[in-house]
Amino acid sequence: MLEPPSSRYLLGTDDLGRDVLSRAIHGASTSLLVGVVTTGVSLVLGTALGVISGYAGRAVDLVLQRIMDAIQAVPGIVLLLFIAVVLGPSVQNTIIALTVVITPSFNRIARGETLRVRQERYIESARATGASTVRILLRHVLPNMFAQVLTLGSLIFAGVIIAESALSFLGIGAPPPTPSWGGMLSEGVRYVERAPWIILVPAVLLSIGVFSFNLLGDALRDHLDPRLARRIPRSAARWWGMRRPPSRLAPSLAAAAERADDPPARDRPTQP
Amino acid sequence: MIGYTLRRLGYGAVVMVLVTAFTFVIMRLIPGDAVALQLQETGATADEVAAMRAEFGLDVPVWAQLGQWVADAVRGDFGTSFYTGRPVVEMFLDRVPVTVGFGLLAMVVGAVLGIGLGVVAAVTRGSVTDSAVRVFAVTFLSVPHFVVALLLLTAFALWFAWSPPIVYASPTEDLGSWLQQVAIPVFALGTGGMAGMARMARSSMLESLGSDYIRTVRAKGVHERTVILKHALRNSTIAVLTLLGLELATILGGTVILEQMFAIPGTGQLIYQAVLDRDYPVVVACTIFYSALFVLTIIVIDLLYALVDPRIRTGRALS
């Protein structure tokens, strides 16, 4: 127990004599599972809601957007705590809680894009030729936001990994026997002095994971469509802190924040 | 401007009504309430459970409970805790100064570090220093604040055999002990905010430095330090201050985890404990307080921003 790294246990063992390396590897699968499912579900759900809301307009838009505003008005962690404990600690419930929290982010982007595209000539033409609403949405509206939604998805993924670890760390994510990075961190706190490797391994892996998905998001943005590069704020990766204000509550601020994330062209990183 | 203000406040009110309704209804609809939880081990009879539910007002329909709650809330009564029996408002207000002190400190640390780094990066644009600042900022953006805190805790424990005090003392009681306790969480939260701030400061500094008035100031032969610190920096501050307001939400969220970790008895710890105990009145009230604080801050900053910069007020953002 609490054995230091050796040739037998490459990264040492924890207080119950479990191999830290293999727990870290299995923890990765927990984090990635939560990340993939949450991001996937809320991407589809948020985009669908945003497109419907933006295209239908009027009452539907009004009701849907007020609900999204309400969700965004509760600080992320408070909402997560609330939902996670209401439902009880399990991987499945962590996914549900996170989905609720991040769906509005996708909704916001999809709705904005839909509003923009809706006024384009080709949509009008499609409608004039008798295309059904479903067809217009699927063939003309959705493909337009593909790049943005995907980019946001990658940045959000990084946030989801952080959030999942934070919940496990607080003891309301995946329940104890399940290996998870957050859980390993909180178990390791007690043995900081005797066995620092228990904390170091998941901490480093978590940070690398988050960093990678942030980079992936940035790369996707530049790659998929350079023209759209300015539309997704880099700091969307920090949805967790909810820095983006609900837009209807604070349009000026939202606009200002948007501009802040959109540095002047000459400020693009200079290649050495 | 008055119309604008009223509209924003109207939206804020609508959002708060929704938040209240959701929080309340969801909290009451779940199986396993506080009464069941408390009486589980004592093996109480069905009659006793029913009596206790009646005492807490849990035996009427959710909608009736919500109506009663709102009616009381308007009169300043947000309910009493199931566990301590104290009014929730009182419990919350008791802890506010703790969180505010620690949160503000984190904000200041983040702003000072962020603006400083941003200015340095802008001035030395394209150099090694600039890249170093970027790497530094990105690092702290990628490492979640509770991990930063944990790593610091580990480092201090290992190398200096130091750990923060276990019992919290307010700054007025024992400043040294308080500083030791909040040092790590403040640094962890502050550096999280620092990254965004540095990026923002850098880009707005570059924008100012490239503008005509700076060229004029330079042409007058003003010392470079004065150009940067007085003329360019001052003009970039507005943008940075906006970010500072938005940072509040991050700080609010961060306090929940860090207060728990470092045994700081603030509002974050209150809501975490209440959530674990299923102390309905406390959870509902705290969630609503937190949201109200966020909504109000957002609206106030928005109004200030619109006041300062009329371009935004009349811009597309309002349509």
Side-chain angles (χ1 to χ4, degrees):
Chain A
M1 270 159 255
L2 297 176
E3 279 179 48
S6 62
S7 58
R8 182 137 182 241
Y9 304 107
L10 287 180
L11 294 174
T13 62
D14 66 4
D15 52 320
L16 298 175
R18 295 171 296 192
D19 183 41
V20 171
L21 177 63
S22 43
R23 273 181 67 77
I25 293 172
H26 285 283
S29 85
T30 309
S31 285
L32 295 181
L33 175 75
V34 172
V36 168
V37 177
T38 308
T39 314
V41 172
S42 42
L43 189 149
V44 173
L45 192 68
T47 311
L49 287 177
V51 169
I52 292 170
S53 178
Y55 199 77
R58 296 167 190 277
V60 178
D61 189 37
L62 195 76
V63 173
L64 277 177
Q65 294 315 310
R66 286 305 78 73
I67 294 176
M68 294 294 159
D69 282 351
I71 296 177
Q72 290 205 301
V74 188
I77 180 79
V78 175
L79 188 56
L80 280 175
L81 270 178
F82 183 74
I83 303 174
V85 169
V86 161
L87 297 174
S90 79
V91 173
Q92 183 199 330
N93 293 339
T94 307
I95 293 175
I96 296 177
L98 282 166
T99 305
V100 173
V101 176
I102 63 179
T103 298
S105 310
F106 287 106
N107 160 76
R108 164 93 47 82
I109 282 226
R111 178 172 173 271
E113 265 312 278
T114 309
L115 287 180
R116 188 180 65 81
V117 169
R118 210 173 89 165
Q119 293 160 357
E120 300 278 344
R121 282 278 164 74
Y122 57 84
I123 300 286
E124 209 176 313
S125 320
R127 205 179 294 137
T129 56
S132 67
T133 307
V134 176
R135 190 185 160 85
I136 294 177
L137 290 182
L138 289 181
R139 290 295 301 268
H140 303 289
V141 178
L142 274 180
N144 260 301
M145 60 186 67
F146 185 69
Q148 276 134 303
V149 168
L150 214 59
T151 308
L152 182 69
S154 171
L155 296 176
I156 289 265
F157 196 104
V160 172
I161 295 182
I162 299 183
E164 190 273 329
S165 310
L167 284 181
S168 308
F169 181 77
L170 287 175
I172 48 179
T178 320
S180 71
W181 291 341
M184 290 175 77
L185 287 173
S186 71
E187 285 160 22
V189 174
R190 272 169 292 164
Y191 308 100
V192 160
E193 283 150 53
R194 283 158 63 201
W197 52 87
I198 302 180
I199 282 188
L200 287 178
V201 174
V204 169
L205 288 179
L206 177 61
S207 307
I208 293 178
V210 173
F211 183 58
S212 315
F213 280 100
N214 278 336
L215 282 187
L216 179 66
D218 279 357
L220 272 179
R221 175 180 54 186
D222 293 343
H223 178 72
L224 286 176
D225 192 343
R227 191 170 47 86
L228 299 176
R230 332 189 102 229
R231 305 193 129 256
I232 298 188
R234 193 170 290 230
S235 54
R238 303 206 55 208
W239 63 275
W240 162 249
M242 295 255 308
R243 239 192 20 221
R244 211 119 309 260
S247 58
R248 272 294 193 168
L249 274 177
S252 311
L253 195 55
E258 218 77 10
R259 285 197 322 193
D261 287 319
D262 179 18
R266 61 191 138 81
D267 180 38
R268 295 267 162 236
T270 40
Q271 297 298 327
Chain B
M1 192 65 201
I2 292 172
Y4 183 71
T5 311
L6 288 178
R7 262 203 310 279
R8 292 286 82 77
L9 288 176
Y11 277 127
V14 170
V15 165
M16 282 319 298
V17 167
L18 283 175
V19 169
T20 309
F22 287 157
T23 323
F24 202 85
V25 173
I26 293 174
M27 200 65 194
R28 295 295 154 99
L29 285 181
I30 52 160
D33 56 31
V35 174
L37 218 63
Q38 271 192 340
L39 297 184
Q40 216 164 25
E41 283 145 24
T42 57
T45 63
D47 284 349
E48 281 170 331
V49 173
M52 199 157 170
R53 293 177 70 89
E55 190 193 323
F56 287 135
L58 292 174
D59 54 344
V60 291
V62 175
W63 299 111
Q65 291 179 32
L66 177 62
Q68 185 60 46
W69 189 87
V70 171
D72 288 344
V74 172
R75 278 175 267 144
D77 173 15
F78 287 85
T80 43
S81 162
F82 284 165
Y83 286 82
T84 62
R86 291 180 58 205
V88 177
V89 183
E90 201 180 287
M91 287 169 79
F92 193 80
L93 290 181
D94 271 359
R95 284 158 175 263
V96 164
V98 177
T99 303
V100 167
F102 146 63
L104 272 184
L105 197 60
M107 215 177 216
V108 171
V109 167
V112 171
L113 279 176
I115 295 174
L117 286 177
V119 170
V120 168
V123 173
T124 62
R125 177 166 163 253
S127 73
V128 180
T129 319
D130 186 16
S131 313
V133 168
R134 179 174 296 130
V135 170
F136 190 67
V138 168
T139 308
F140 278 106
L141 208 58
S142 299
V143 188
H145 51 64
F146 69 96
V147 175
V148 172
L150 260 183
L151 290 178
L152 284 174
L153 203 61
T154 312
F156 281 122
L158 274 186
W159 294 327
F160 306 110
W162 176 88
S163 56
I166 297 161
V167 182
Y168 177 84
S170 75
T172 44
E173 284 165 28
D174 185 349
L175 190 63
S177 162
W178 182 76
L179 278 178
Q180 282 188 37
Q181 185 143 31
V182 299
I184 293 181
V186 160
F187 181 80
L189 264 184
T191 46
M194 173 201 76
M197 212 80 79
R199 242 171 49 76
M200 177 86 147
R202 179 178 180 273
S203 66
S204 63
M205 267 303 275
L206 281 178
E207 205 177 336
S208 312
L209 283 175
S211 59
D212 290 343
Y213 77 92
I214 289 291
R215 198 183 48 197
T216 313
V217 174
R218 282 209 177 110
K220 274 164 55 184
V222 176
H223 193 277
E224 186 64 18
R225 195 194 304 151
T226 320
V227 172
I228 292 164
L229 292 185
K230 194 173 161 205
H231 298 272
L233 183 60
R234 189 178 286 183
N235 214 28
S236 326
T237 337
I238 296 176
V240 177
L241 287 183
T242 319
L243 207 59
L244 204 61
L246 290 179
E247 201 56 41
L248 180 90
T250 317
I251 303 250
L252 278 184
T255 54
V256 177
I257 299 183
L258 292 172
E259 277 178 8
Q260 187 57 33
M261 260 176 85
F262 289 86
I264 300 171
T267 51
Q269 205 189 40
L270 177 69
I271 192 169
Y272 178 71
Q273 268 311 319
V275 153
L276 287 190
D277 295 342
R278 302 217 167 167
D279 198 345
Y280 295 154
V282 182
V283 174
V284 170
C286 284
T287 307
I288 292 166
F289 290 158
Y290 260 79
S291 316
L293 186 61
F294 177 63
V295 167
L296 209 63
T297 321
I298 285 287
I299 293 178
V300 168
I301 305 170
D302 190 66
L303 292 176
L304 284 179
Y305 211 91
L307 200 66
V308 172
D309 194 343
R311 277 177 311 177
I312 291 180
R313 191 166 66 224
T314 53
R316 203 164 55 87
L318 297 195
S319 59

